[in-house]
Amino acid sequence: LDDLARLPFTHKSELRDSQSGMPPLGRHSATESTAVKRIYSTSGTTGKPTYIGLTEHDIAVWKETACRTFWSCGLREDSITPLVVSPFVIAASYADALENIGTLVPIGVGATDRLIAAFQHAGANTLLCTSSFPLHFAAALEKRGIDPLGLGIRLIMAGGEPGASIPWIRQQIEKTYGCQLLEISGNGDICGLMWAECEHKRGMHCTAQGMVHPEIIHPDSGEVLPIREGTTGELVYTSLDRECIPLLRFRSSDQVKVTHTECDCGRSGFGIRIIGRSDDMMIVQGVNVYPSAIRDVIAGLAPRTNGTMEIQLYAPPPDGWKPPVQIKVEYSAQTTDLETLGKELEILIREKLFFRANIELIPDGHLPRYEYKAKLVNKHYEN
């Protein structure tokens, strides 16, 4: 495995170029087209969507890693889970794994009343969703006069975006629903699910041993970094058991920190937290800043804030990131001294993230809510 460092990286742009030249799966597809049983599309949130082909064997591998992921979080035979994730790359593999372990209740995105009915009438007790969805769902329940504690949710597995590991957000969600919230993650180009928290909540374990080999590299130099507690860098993946579109040293753009290499649960996969994505990173006066880090600072002033924010970008980078950066932040209903809150947020951002911000406080519920990935940056210009 050490010899992998002698091989070049695979970049997302290469996959897009390959598929543009030979649609739909590209020149890097390694199987006959008749062997491909599923074709997924990535969400395209960071560019043109790419297409991912899976053979029957690949489908089984994705199902296995998803089962490991859900089992790590505590999904069991008596778990009943509505599927509310967006119909992008991993929805089908989610369904396969959920019904392999417990019971699946198919629910489409946007079908809030059907989701509520699944808990009230179908006995659902587990929620699988993006990190921003539980608080969005709680607000929808409140409008309908429904107490979230009465739904009987005992486990929420959340991923797709940073947020589930932010202490205040986790505490608020667990208190709101009376459940346990655990974080999961994957990568559509490599494997739908590959990371999961266990009950100790120290970080997400790697659950794809034997299928995928992860490396952590320095994002600028490409140097392979040691896997030990405290290491930070970019995740790079190599397919070990993939028939269609196996990738060598694929740069994920996920910036992570190693949280531990041993755990009382007995799992041997090292643990990580995702800090942010390099393609989301802002460079403000020479300082690297991730939008998720700004949200962490804002969430730290709960309950005066509710953790919902949106960065306002009025020009393309680098001009758009010139300070003061404009940020809209929702305040909670019980907050009265808005002037003090705004100044405190600006000071905290300056002290912790080293840039100046202009905070615009707006009432709770006035920023958009998303059932899939929350948008933390609002671009007021044409790309």
Side-chain angles (χ1 to χ4, degrees), residues 102-356:
T103 302
L104 169 69
V105 183
I107 302 289
V109 172
T112 303
D113 290 328
R114 290 183 62 195
L115 176 59
I116 294 171
F119 289 105
Q120 291 182 327
H121 306 301
N125 51 33
T126 303
L127 180 61
L128 171 66
C129 57
T130 59
S131 300
S132 57
F133 181 78
L135 295 179
H136 165 83
F137 186 43
L141 291 170
E142 183 180 354
K143 291 180 181 179
R144 292 165 171 79
I146 300 172
D147 183 0
L149 288 171
L151 293 185
I153 299 176
R154 64 191 188 195
L155 170 66
I156 296 178
M157 300 179 291
E161 59 187 354
S165 62
I166 297 174
W168 178 81
I169 293 179
R170 189 195 294 272
Q171 292 166 10
Q172 184 180 17
I173 291 172
E174 292 186 338
K175 180 180 179 181
T176 298
Y177 292 96
C179 70
Q180 183 160 253
L181 171 68
L182 295 174
E183 189 174 30
I184 60 177
S185 185
N187 182 286
D189 290 292
I190 293 291
C191 190
L193 285 172
M194 295 180 286
W195 302 92
E197 281 190 303
C198 68
E199 65 272 19
H200 297 289
K201 302 179 182 178
R202 297 177 60 196
M204 293 185 291
H205 292 279
C206 180
T207 57
Q209 295 98 323
M211 287 81 164
V212 176
H213 177 67
E215 299 174 272
I216 298 179
I217 65 166
H218 189 286
D220 296 325
S221 69
E223 175 191 2
V224 179
L225 302 175
I227 303 297
R228 60 190 179 204
E229 188 172 337
T231 293
T232 60
E234 180 183 348
L235 269 177
V236 170
Y237 295 111
T238 293
S239 302
L240 299 179
D241 192 8
R242 181 78 174 269
E243 291 182 341
C244 185
I245 315 182
L247 300 179
L248 292 172
R249 308 198 78 204
F250 176 72
R251 295 193 62 157
S252 70
S253 295
D254 286 330
Q255 307 298 309
V256 302
K257 180 178 182 179
V258 177
T259 56
H260 62 283
T261 56
E262 296 181 353
C263 185
D264 290 340
C265 74
R267 291 180 176 85
S268 58
F270 65 92
I272 62 166
R273 293 280 184 222
I274 297 178
I275 302 170
R277 290 186 56 83
S278 59
D279 40 22
D280 291 336
M281 186 180 70
M282 315 178 316
I283 301 178
V284 186
Q285 290 184 315
V287 177
N288 296 344
V289 180
Y290 295 100
S292 56
I294 299 174
R295 183 172 61 178
D296 289 359
V297 172
I298 291 169
L301 290 188
R304 288 182 290 165
T305 64
N306 63 13
T308 303
M309 52 135 293
E310 189 180 80
I311 301 166
Q312 309 300 306
L313 192 61
Y314 293 95
D319 291 341
W321 295 129
K322 288 182 178 178
V325 177
Q326 308 296 312
I327 307 173
K328 291 184 178 181
V329 176
E330 286 191 355
Y331 61 87
S332 302
Q334 63 267 37
T335 304
T336 55
D337 191 349
L338 300 184
E339 183 177 356
T340 298
L341 175 61
K343 289 181 178 178
E344 191 172 345
L345 281 170
E346 291 174 357
I347 291 172
L348 280 174
I349 289 173
R350 183 67 178 268
E351 291 178 346
K352 293 186 175 183
L353 302 179
F354 309 107
F355 72 91
R356 289 185 299 114

Side-chain angles (χ1 to χ4, degrees), residues 41-70:
S41 170
T42 62
S43 62
T45 53
T46 59
K48 183 180 178 181
T50 54
Y51 293 92
I52 298 118
L54 298 181
T55 65
E56 184 176 351
H57 174 78
D58 296 336
I59 292 170
V61 169
W62 279 39
K63 178 180 178 179
E64 171 62 22
T65 60
C67 285
R68 293 181 188 178
T69 299
F70 295 147

Side-chain angles (χ1 to χ4, degrees), residues 12-29 39-42 48-53 189 242 244-245 247:
K12 185 79 169 185
S13 59
E14 293 178 287
L15 304 187
R16 292 195 179 100
D17 292 344
S18 174
Q19 293 189 353
S20 295
M22 187 179 289
L25 298 180
R27 297 185 179 93
H28 54 284
S29 180
I39 296 179
Y40 291 121
S41 170
T42 62
K48 183 180 178 181
T50 54
Y51 293 92
I52 298 118
D189 290 292
R242 181 78 174 269
C244 185
I245 315 182
L247 300 179

